[in-house]
Structure formats: C-alpha cells, structure tokens
C-alpha cells in the first residue's frame, strides 16, 4: 500500500498528530488537505513538546516531504510563526521539505475579527468556534472572493482582492456588529514579513506532485484535521467545523482520484472528548469525567479550552467507519483509563421507548439519545512501559477485544502514552 488517509473518528483531538509523526518515519510524503489553524496537533518526542496547527506532522522527520494542499485555509501569520519556531529548533532546515499549494485559501486578520464578532453576537446560540477565522475564509472561497496563496506574491492583485473583500467585511463589522473597520493598508502590513518568508515554499501544482509520487509507489500519508463528527455535511450540524473532515476530503483537497487511496486509518481515543458546544451522549459530568480530563490532560492545543469527556461510543464510531470507509483503527490514550475500577462502552441508545444501535441521523435526536452501556472491570496497572500487546493487563486486553468485536474492524496500533516510542504495533501501516 502506498497511500493512506489518517482521519479522526470522533470529535477531533484523538491523537492524529502523534500517529502521523510515528508513521512519517515510513512515509515519503505527508499531505495536509483541509481545515486551518483551528486544529492543533501536539507531538511529544523524547519528552519535548511541539504543537503544529498548519504544517504536517511529518516535518519532524527530515527525510519526509510535507505538502499543504489546496483544500487548506492558511493563516499566513500563524504559518510563519510555525516555520520560524521549527527552524529555531533545527527543524525544516531545507526549504524543499515543505511545499504550499498556490491554490490554497489565505486567511487574514479580518476573517478572525468577523468570526469572533459573530460568536460574541450569538450570545446564547454559540457554536463554540475557535474564533480563528476559518469559516469566513471558506465563505470567501465559496463566494469566489478568496485570496489564494499564489496571490500573495503579486502585490497589485493582492491589494485589489483585499480592498474588494473589505468592502463587505467592514460593512458588516461597522453596521451590524458595531466593530472598528480594518483598512487594506493595515491588512497588507500585517502580512508583509510573512510573504517574504513564505515565498520559499510555493508550489504551483501540488496535485501533479502527489499524483506522480503515487505513480512512483512512494508512500504518501494524508493527514486530516478535526474529527469525522465535526464534518460540515455529516457531523452534528450546526456544531461542526467549516470544512469536510472525512476521508474523501483527502481526494478533493489534494486533487487526486479516489482510486489512489489504499487505506483509511481511523484515529480513535479509548474514551470520547469534545470541545465546544453540541450534543454528546456519553458525556460524564462527574468524578469519572474529571478523572479522564485530568489524567488525559484534555485541554485544546489551539485554544487551551477544557475538553468535555465521556465514555467511548460504539454507534458513533460505526457511523464514522461507514462514512469514511475506515479499514482499521489506532486506539489512543488507553493508558488514561488505568486506575478506573469500572469501564463502560456505549453500544446502543435509548430514544424515547426505542432501543437503537445506529447513530441518529439528526443532531436533535442525538441530543435526546440516552446511552446504554456494557460494563467491565478496569485495571490499576501502569501500562505506559508496555511494548507488546501481551504485556497489557487482561482487563485492558478484554476492553480492546470488546471494541474490535463491536466495531468489526481490526485495531492496528495501541498507544500507551504520549511519546513517539509509546506505541504498540499490531500491523504495519504501509
């Protein structure tokens, strides 16, 4: 297999960054294909933490080339900070390691200002957006008013596009949201330094590059952002992100055909978390939820917000498997469950008088769903030093077995800690 899509099977924050980092050691390319700086991947290597929002996690491996594809929304200031931070740590020393599609959408400060103004105006109807401007930037793309990455390097076109965009944005900011307007000169000045840095990473035809890499049987890893249940079309709308987060988005965002994808790996936390608003059937507002939040260090890498925590949800995972075509699972953060006397797995819901095993089709139904649980004993042992599956406690092995039986797909990787080395391999990725 030469091309694999790595996606989150829940509401994001499943641990995709660590998995992509580990697998990047085997990959020739890592491609980021959707989303923006509203996603944060936390990587821990030899105890050192690196947080990436836009650059693919493969950048920590000097032999791996990284591509930010056309489907991504690029906060140019944030991207410049990431590049400078990596260079400071003696990473990304070769500019050819990172390529950025000329067709990607650019996000500027006025997108963020509009995003934050909307959320503040919503009051009791908040979506829980990160306020990073991703939605307004995608809106520009859909309305054919976007600034593309390639436009950054033609000042005349860039200024014209900014001025055109600000006519509408400033009207909304001033007249509807009662905010101060932004001038085109200010917006330009904010990104001048970034333009000078980013010109070294331009890529005119990213689709062709990845197509040729796949033809040559090079190993390509497609790195998703957020999670399947936040998909703009198939997630818990309106409590979703502004892009498509499912596996088929890798084809759309990169510009390749679906026949080029060999495998889809679903990154799945051993429990469930969610940031922001929206329905969450297995949420735990009790001591167990606090235990998971504390032991799992469940704070958002992008916003620092506390993540809501709950038990793992089989109907939601089976839905994610269906809409993504997930081939196998990487089970993350199972070590966080160590110390719990009892564990629960949601295998169905009660909706009114009915017992349902399928994920409800509407957010309204999901909000009314009461989880029905399988219960099993937990374990007290510290499993963070386990290097083989057989070293895990029998209770942990039972938990994994029940998940596989219910999901009917294999678990290929088991993560027992945050570090790159704390991974138990059952089957190889490629």
């Amino acid at each position: 297999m030469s091309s694999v899509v790595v996606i989150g099977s829940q509401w994001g924050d499943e641990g995709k960054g660590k998995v992509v980092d580990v697998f990047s050691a085997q990959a020739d390319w890592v491609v980021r294909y959707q989303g923006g700086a509203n996603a944060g991947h936390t990587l821990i290597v030899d105890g050192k933490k690196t947080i990436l929002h836009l650059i693919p996690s493969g950048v920590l491996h000097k032999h791996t080339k990284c591509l930010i594809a056309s489907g991504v929304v690029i906060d140019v200031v944030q991207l410049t900070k990431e590049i400078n931070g990596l260079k400071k740590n003696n990473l990304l020393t070769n500019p050819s390691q990172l390529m950025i599609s000329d067709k990607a959408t650019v996000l500027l400060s006025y997108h963020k200002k509009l995003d934050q103004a909307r959320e503040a105006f919503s009051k009791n109807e908040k979506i829980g957006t990160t306020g990073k401007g991703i939605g307004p930037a995608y809106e520009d793309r859909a309305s054919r008013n976007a600034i593309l990455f390639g436009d950054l390097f033609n000042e005349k076109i860039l200024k014209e596009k900014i001025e055109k965009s600000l006519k509408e944005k400033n009207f909304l900011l001033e007249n509807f949201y009662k905010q101060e307007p932004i001038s085109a000169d200010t917006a330009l000045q904010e990104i001048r330094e970034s333009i000078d840095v980013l010109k070294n990473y331009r890529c005119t035809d990213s689709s062709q590059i990845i197509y040729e890499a796949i033809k040559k049987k090079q190993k390509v890893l497609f790195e998703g952002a957020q999670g399947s249940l936040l998909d703009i079309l198939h997630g818990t709308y309106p409590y979703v992100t502004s892009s498509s987060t499912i596996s088929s988005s890798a084809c759309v965002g990169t510009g390749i055909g679906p026949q080029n994808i060999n495998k889809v790996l679903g990154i799945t936390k051993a429990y469930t978390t969610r940031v922001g608003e929206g329905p969450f059937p297995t949420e735990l507002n009790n001591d167990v939820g606090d235990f998971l939040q504390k032991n799992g260090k469940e704070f958002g890498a992008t916003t620092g917000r506390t993540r809501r925590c709950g038990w793992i949800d089989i109907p939601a995972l089976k839905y994610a498997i269906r809409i993504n075509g997930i081939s196998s699972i990487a089970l993350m953060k199972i070590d966080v469950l160590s110390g719990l006397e009892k564990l629960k797995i949601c295998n169905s819901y009660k909706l009114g008088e009915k017992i349902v095993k399928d994920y409800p089709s509407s957010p309204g139904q999901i909000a009314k769903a009461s989880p029905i649980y399988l219960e099993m004993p937990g374990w007290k042992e510290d499993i963070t030093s386990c290097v083989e599956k057989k070293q895990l406690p029998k209770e942990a092995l039972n938990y994994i077995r029940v998940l596989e039986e219910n999901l009917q797909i294999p678990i290929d990787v088991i993560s027992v800690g945050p570090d790159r080395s704390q991974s138990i391999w059952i089957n190889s990725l490629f």
Side-chain angles (χ1 to χ4, degrees):
M1 294 186 180
S2 64
S3 54
V4 179
V5 181
V6 174
I7 57 96
S9 64
Q10 296 156 307
W11 278 292
D13 309 306
E14 299 94 349
K16 295 180 292 296
K18 175 190 170 175
V19 172
V20 173
D21 170 54
V22 172
F23 289 157
S24 295
Q26 307 170 44
D28 299 298
W29 289 87
V30 178
V31 180
R32 172 76 186 275
Y33 56 84
Q34 51 79 219
N38 53 341
H41 290 170
T42 303
L43 314 173
I44 299 177
V45 182
D46 299 327
K48 187 173 183 179
K49 182 188 288 188
T50 300
I51 297 177
L52 299 172
H53 299 277
L54 285 162
I55 296 176
S57 304
V59 74
L60 300 191
H61 299 270
K62 294 188 177 183
H63 74 278
T64 304
K65 290 194 173 183
C66 298
L67 172 71
I68 299 176
S70 305
V72 178
V73 163
I74 298 174
D75 179 338
V76 293
V77 175
Q78 173 61 40
L79 180 56
T80 304
K81 287 178 183 176
E82 285 185 38
I83 289 170
N84 291 338
L86 289 167
K87 286 183 174 180
K88 189 177 179 181
N89 289 316
N90 200 33
L91 294 164
L92 196 58
T93 53
N94 183 354
S96 67
Q97 190 187 3
L98 174 65
M99 299 182 187
I100 305 166
S101 171
D102 260 2
K103 296 179 183 178
T105 302
V106 167
L107 183 154
L108 300 179
S109 61
Y110 54 77
H111 293 109
K112 295 181 190 178
K113 190 165 185 177
L114 183 58
D115 199 9
Q116 292 161 14
R118 282 178 179 165
E119 187 77 350
F121 187 80
S122 299
K123 295 181 181 178
N124 297 327
E125 297 179 359
K126 293 181 184 295
I127 296 297
T129 175
T130 60
K132 299 294 182 181
I134 313 301
Y138 272 123
E139 286 173 26
D140 278 359
R141 187 69 183 232
S143 62
R144 281 83 75 193
N145 287 315
I147 296 167
L148 305 187
F149 186 74
D151 295 332
L152 293 174
F153 313 103
N154 184 321
E155 182 151 348
K156 181 176 182 293
I157 290 175
L158 178 61
K159 188 169 184 181
E160 285 174 357
K161 284 196 168 188
I162 290 175
E163 287 173 343
K164 180 183 177 183
S165 186
L166 280 174
K167 285 180 182 178
E168 178 189 30
K169 303 293 189 298
N170 279 337
F171 182 85
L172 284 170
L173 287 170
E174 287 185 274
N175 296 287
F176 193 78
Y177 296 114
K178 309 304 179 185
Q179 301 277 330
E180 290 296 316
I182 297 173
S183 72
D185 287 339
T186 298
L188 264 172
Q189 191 58 38
E190 289 170 343
I191 60 172
R192 285 197 187 281
E193 184 181 327
S194 295
I195 292 170
D196 194 49
V197 172
L198 297 176
K199 66 184 180 184
N200 299 311
Y201 305 98
R202 270 186 87 177
C203 167
T204 54
D205 196 344
S206 57
S207 169
Q208 182 71 24
I209 288 170
I210 296 304
Y211 176 71
E212 293 295 337
I214 292 171
K215 277 181 63 177
K216 293 174 184 175
K217 305 297 183 185
Q218 292 181 355
K219 294 174 181 177
V220 182
L221 198 60
F222 296 90
E223 176 183 18
Q226 290 93 30
S228 301
L229 303 181
L230 293 175
D231 184 88
I232 186 69
L233 296 175
H234 304 285
T236 49
Y237 190 88
Y239 304 101
V240 293
T241 191
S242 43
S243 62
S244 178
T245 60
I246 61 175
S247 59
S248 54
S249 180
C251 299
V252 177
T254 308
I256 59 165
Q259 76 276 12
N260 293 304
I261 303 300
N262 301 128
K263 182 177 182 179
V264 179
L265 180 70
I267 313 304
T268 305
K269 205 175 276 185
Y271 49 101
T272 310
T273 61
R274 178 165 199 170
V275 173
E277 306 300 319
F280 183 177
T282 64
E283 184 172 12
L284 295 169
N285 295 306
N286 57 21
D287 291 345
V288 177
D290 292 341
F291 175 93
L292 295 172
Q293 193 277 321
K294 181 180 178 182
N295 283 24
K297 297 180 174 60
E298 296 296 352
F299 298 93
T302 298
T303 63
R305 291 183 294 179
T306 301
R307 296 173 185 145
R308 301 153 62 192
C309 297
W311 297 116
I312 199 162
D313 187 329
I314 294 295
L317 286 173
K318 289 174 81 171
Y319 175 70
I321 290 166
R322 170 161 58 89
I323 63 175
N324 287 288
I326 293 173
S327 321
S328 60
I329 278 176
L331 188 64
M332 312 301 292
K333 301 184 86 166
I334 193 170
D335 53 293
V336 174
L337 301 180
S338 296
L340 289 171
E341 187 176 338
K342 289 184 179 180
L343 301 177
K344 294 183 180 182
I345 293 175
C346 170
N347 71 340
S348 56
Y349 306 121
K350 186 173 183 182
L351 261 175
E353 298 301 314
K354 293 183 178 180
I355 305 298
V356 296
K357 290 188 173 290
D358 294 324
Y359 193 64
S361 59
S362 74
Q365 286 184 308
I366 297 166
K368 295 174 183 177
S370 298
I372 298 172
Y373 292 112
L374 297 171
E375 289 193 23
M376 60 199 69
W379 61 91
K380 294 183 179 179
E381 296 93 330
D382 180 353
I383 64 172
T384 55
S385 60
C386 293
V387 294
E388 293 182 284
K389 185 178 177 181
K390 64 184 180 182
Q391 293 177 322
L392 294 169
K394 63 180 182 180
E395 295 85 357
L397 291 172
N398 182 54
Y399 187 77
I400 293 165
R401 178 187 61 79
V402 172
L403 290 179
E404 284 188 312
E405 287 178 356
N406 277 270
L407 297 174
Q408 298 183 333
I409 59 171
I411 293 172
D412 282 352
V413 187
I414 302 167
S415 174
V416 294
D419 198 88
R420 177 189 284 173
S421 62
Q422 293 173 299
S423 306
I424 298 173
W425 296 78
I426 313 301
N427 295 301
S428 61
L429 179 67
F430 291 105

